[in-house]
């Protein structure tokens, strides 16, 4: 009996809904009647026993009472099973949502890194070279000025400076091109890898979003409504047309078996 | 639902479902008290944009009709049977079959079965549906239930009302009208008559008459269907059918009383011919009893005055007769199928699992 009382208490708690006093006040409720859990349980218990007492005697009463309690506990257990299944779906949805958020964050990071990389590679080289060119020109000019100071003619010194600068620049430009080509190859590889990564992340994101959509729709499915039948019924023994109906059922079955057989052949 | 894990877990009860798979509507009645009906239309998003917007892979019934501009629409049944079942290699036929499967799945879902219950379903199919068509319906249903059976639609109506002897059932659907006489056993081919003058034929006739008599009025098949369902009658008009239809974008009122009466009247003659044929070929000793027990069922039977009009025509052709409209025309077939499912013995279901 203790088990039944606990189960009843749990069931009532589960079926009840919570509300606040403010909300009740808004609805115009000023007073409420309070009925304790123990009182409800006692009332149900008394109602069942009174009803059984008026209809059954002795051992029958006990058997029916026990069967009813067992059935009630079974229904509660089956509801618990469904609740568990529902919470598992909910967990799956949460996991998928987290996965989705992580993918979105990573995708955003990768896209931002790619943008930075592309911006850095492009205008940086020209500015850097301009600075280097100016430094080389200054050094060449200094060498020529030292030579001029040592007694060379100014015209020859100017021509020498120009020629020297030209030679140095040829070498430097060649080196730069080679270096730049290597750097560009490396950069291109990095960018291509980043783009591939972004593409994969986008695909994963789409798949996860679809999964989430499916899980969400699954979650919206309710637990269903129990059938009034625990077992397969069949024709009632006291049916006035039982014989005729048996023949009809057999004919329907035969026709359907024929159809199934055709389908599997 | 059919994997072994779930089957093992199905120990909490047996849900019986009776289904009336119709051209216009699909109705279900279940042993958990649920009764639902859905328009037999299925819509799939036209592209990724509409899919994202609708947030669904497939829509059904009224929801699909409301969003039809973003959907590829399928009406998987025509004249009471699945379309294209003969040429399953055709891509359109495949999609239509998938739409039928999805529709049956949705109808089962509407019955709100619990995951842990066995689901046994009886589907009412048109009396003269082809074997290939019946196979296709069975195939479509198997994916969603533990065991399924088919039975003749008008027969299930009679079984549901427990009228198995000397009764003539007239089931007026959208695609077909099925007539079936009952004589205490399973009806045979000679006991059944089917023709395609039914709800859709009334819609087509009404559309033709509106087009002729209401110049400039714009309307769709769906609008015509709604007019018929709201106003449909034969005989004396119970009220004037005043309907607003757009003319150049402006709602304009039309009196469609005569058009509605004339369109609905197309049902009377073929039904009377069918009744006459089934009565005239019945055992003469029981003919009088049969013609006094004519049951009108199906959505088409909701046309007001139809029972009286058929009785009047029967008086002229057969010297009399009594026609009774069943209480719930939309659910008559589904209720009967549910009763058959209930009465089917356990060992029969086991054989079909």
């Amino acid at each position: 009996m203790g088990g039944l009382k606990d189960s009843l208490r749990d069931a009532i708690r589960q079926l009840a809904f919570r509300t606040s006093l403010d909300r009740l006040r808004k609805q115009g409720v000023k007073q409420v009647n309070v009925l304790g859990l123990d009182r409800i349980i006692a009332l149900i218990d008394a109602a069942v026993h009174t009803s059984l007492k008026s209809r059954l005697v002795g051992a029958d009463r006990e058997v029916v009472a026990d069967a009813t309690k067992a059935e009630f506990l079974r229904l509660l257990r089956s509801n618990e099973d469904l609740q568990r299944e529902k919470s598992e779906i909910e967990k799956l949805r949460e996991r998928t949502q987290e996965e989705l958020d992580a993918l979105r964050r990573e995708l955003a990071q990768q896209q931002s890194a790619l943008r930075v990389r592309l911006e850095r590679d492009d205008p940086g080289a020209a500015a850097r070279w301009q600075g280097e060119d100016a430094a080389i020109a200054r050094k060449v000019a200094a060498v020529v000025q030292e030579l001029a100071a040592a007694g060379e003619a100014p015209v020859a010194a100017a021509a020498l400076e120009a020629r020297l600068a030209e030679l140095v620049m040829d070498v430097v430009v060649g080196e730069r091109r080679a270096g730049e080509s290597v750097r560009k190859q490396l950069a291109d590889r990095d960018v291509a890898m980043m783009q591939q990564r972004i593409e994969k992340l986008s695909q994963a994101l789409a798949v996860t979003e679809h999964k989430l959509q499916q899980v969400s729709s699954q979650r919206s499915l309710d637990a269903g409504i129990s059938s009034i039948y625990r077992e397969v019924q069949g024709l009632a023994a006291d049916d006035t047309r039982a014989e005729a109906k048996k023949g009809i059922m057999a004919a329907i079955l035969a026709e359907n078996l024929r159809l199934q057989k055709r389908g599997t052949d | 639902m059919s994997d072994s894990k779930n089957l093992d877990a199905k120990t909490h009860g047996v849900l019986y479902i009776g289904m009336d798979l119709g051209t216009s509507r699909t109705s279900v009645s279940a042993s958990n008290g649920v009764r639902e009906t859905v328009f037999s239309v299925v819509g799939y998003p036209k592209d990724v944009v509409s899919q994202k917007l609708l947030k669904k892979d497939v829509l059904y019934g009224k929801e699909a009709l409301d969003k039809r501009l973003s959907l590829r629409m399928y009406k998987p049944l025509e004249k009471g049977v699945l379309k294209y079942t003969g040429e399953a290699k055709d891509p359109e036929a495949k999609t239509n079959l998938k739409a039928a499967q999805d529709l049956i799945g949705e109808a089962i879902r509407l019955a709100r079965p619990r995951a842990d219950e066995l689901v046994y379903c009886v589907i009412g199919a048109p009396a003269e549906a082809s074997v290939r068509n019946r196979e296709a319906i069975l195939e479509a249903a198997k994916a969603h239930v533990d065991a399924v059976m088919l039975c003749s639609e008008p027969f299930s109506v009679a079984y549901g009302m427990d009228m198995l002897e000397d009764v003539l059932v007239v089931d007026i659907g959208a695609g077909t009208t099925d007539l079936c006489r009952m004589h205490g056993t399973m009806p045979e081919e000679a006991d059944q008559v089917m023709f395609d003058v039914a709800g859709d034929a009334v819609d087509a006739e009404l559309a033709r008459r509106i087009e002729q008599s209401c110049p400039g009025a714009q309307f769709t098949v769906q609008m015509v269907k709604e007019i018929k369902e709201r106003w449909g009658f034969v005989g004396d008009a119970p009220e004037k059918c005043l309907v607003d239809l757009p003319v150049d974008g402006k709602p304009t009122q039309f009196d469609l009383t005569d058009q509605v009466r004339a369109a609905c009247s197309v049902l009377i003659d073929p039904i009377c011919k069918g009744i006459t044929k089934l009565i005239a070929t019945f055992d003469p000793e029981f003919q009088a009893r049969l013609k006094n027990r004519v049951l009108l069922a199906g959505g088409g039977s909701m046309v007001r005055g139809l029972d009286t009009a058929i009785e009047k025509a029967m008086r002229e052709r057969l010297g009399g007769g009594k026609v009774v409209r069943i209480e719930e025309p939309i659910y008559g077939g589904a209720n009967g199928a549910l009763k058959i499912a209930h009465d089917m013995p356990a060992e029969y279901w086991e054989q079909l699992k």
Side-chain angles (χ1 to χ4, degrees), chain A:
Chain A
M1 178 54 85
L4 180 68
K5 277 191 176 174
D6 289 343
S7 303
L8 264 174
R9 189 176 290 122
D10 290 344
I12 290 167
R13 278 204 183 107
Q14 277 176 17
L15 292 172
F17 67 91
R18 277 178 186 277
T19 187
S20 66
L21 293 174
D22 282 345
R23 193 173 295 168
L24 287 173
R25 216 170 284 133
K26 274 181 198 163
Q27 287 170 359
V29 178
K30 288 178 183 167
Q31 285 185 324
V32 290
N33 295 320
V34 178
L35 186 62
L37 272 176
D38 287 337
R39 180 82 181 123
I40 294 171
I41 291 161
L43 282 171
I44 293 170
D45 212 24
V48 170
H49 276 94
T50 310
S51 175
L52 288 174
K53 205 180 281 181
S54 66
R55 286 173 175 79
L56 300 167
V57 285
D60 284 351
R61 194 161 62 221
E62 289 308 314
V63 170
V64 174
D66 287 347
T68 310
K69 284 171 199 166
E71 180 64 13
F72 181 78
L73 289 173
R74 184 191 66 77
L75 281 173
L76 272 184
R77 270 196 300 277
S78 74
N79 268 332
E80 281 163 12
D81 290 346
L82 285 173
Q83 287 293 337
R84 206 177 307 121
E85 270 177 34
K86 203 175 170 190
S87 72
E88 274 167 18
I89 291 172
E90 209 141 321
K91 274 182 202 158
L92 177 64
R93 192 184 71 88
E94 277 168 18
R95 270 204 305 275
T96 314
Q97 185 71 58
E98 280 168 16
E99 203 181 315
L100 193 67
D101 289 345
L103 279 170
R104 279 187 183 139
R105 274 198 299 274
E106 197 177 342
L107 182 63
Q109 278 171 5
Q110 292 286 340
Q111 279 170 335
S112 150
L114 178 64
R115 210 166 34 244
V116 168
R117 185 67 194 250
L118 289 172
E119 279 169 7
R120 197 180 58 200
D121 283 351
D122 221 21
R128 198 169 62 244
W129 294 340
Q130 274 179 3
E132 281 179 15
D133 291 352
I136 290 166
R138 274 197 304 276
K139 280 180 186 168
V140 169
V143 171
V144 172
Q145 276 162 16
E146 275 175 26
L147 285 171
E152 293 290 332
V155 178
L160 182 66
E161 182 185 338
R163 178 74 190 129
L164 195 57
E166 203 178 307
L167 284 171
V168 171
M169 288 312 287
D170 270 357
V171 175
V172 168
V173 165
E175 287 299 315
R176 271 178 190 162
R177 276 191 189 140
E180 195 51 39
S181 160
V182 172
R183 196 161 44 236
K184 201 165 174 356
Q185 274 175 6
L186 285 171
D188 283 353
R189 209 171 60 198
D190 281 357
V191 169
M193 276 177 67
M194 283 171 119
Q195 281 172 338
Q196 275 177 7
R197 177 84 184 124
I198 286 172
E199 200 178 319
K200 275 190 177 175
L201 279 171
S202 302
Q203 280 171 3
L205 194 65
V207 170
T208 314
E209 272 174 348
H210 185 66
K211 205 158 77 178
L212 181 65
Q213 204 176 322
Q214 280 181 328
V215 173
S216 298
S217 63
Q218 201 180 349
R219 189 180 160 262
S220 68
L221 287 176
D222 66 358
I225 299 176
S226 295
S227 170
I228 56 169
Y229 301 120
R230 176 96 173 86
E231 288 154 357
V232 180
Q233 300 299 297
L235 271 167
D238 58 350
D239 193 306
T240 49
R241 293 174 179 163
E243 280 311 308
K245 285 183 179 175
K246 267 183 201 166
I248 287 171
M249 294 298 146
I252 294 175
L253 175 74
E255 176 60 27
N256 278 276
L257 284 175
R258 255 199 306 278
L259 274 175
Q260 278 206 354
K261 193 169 179 296
R262 259 184 65 101
T264 50
D265 283 348

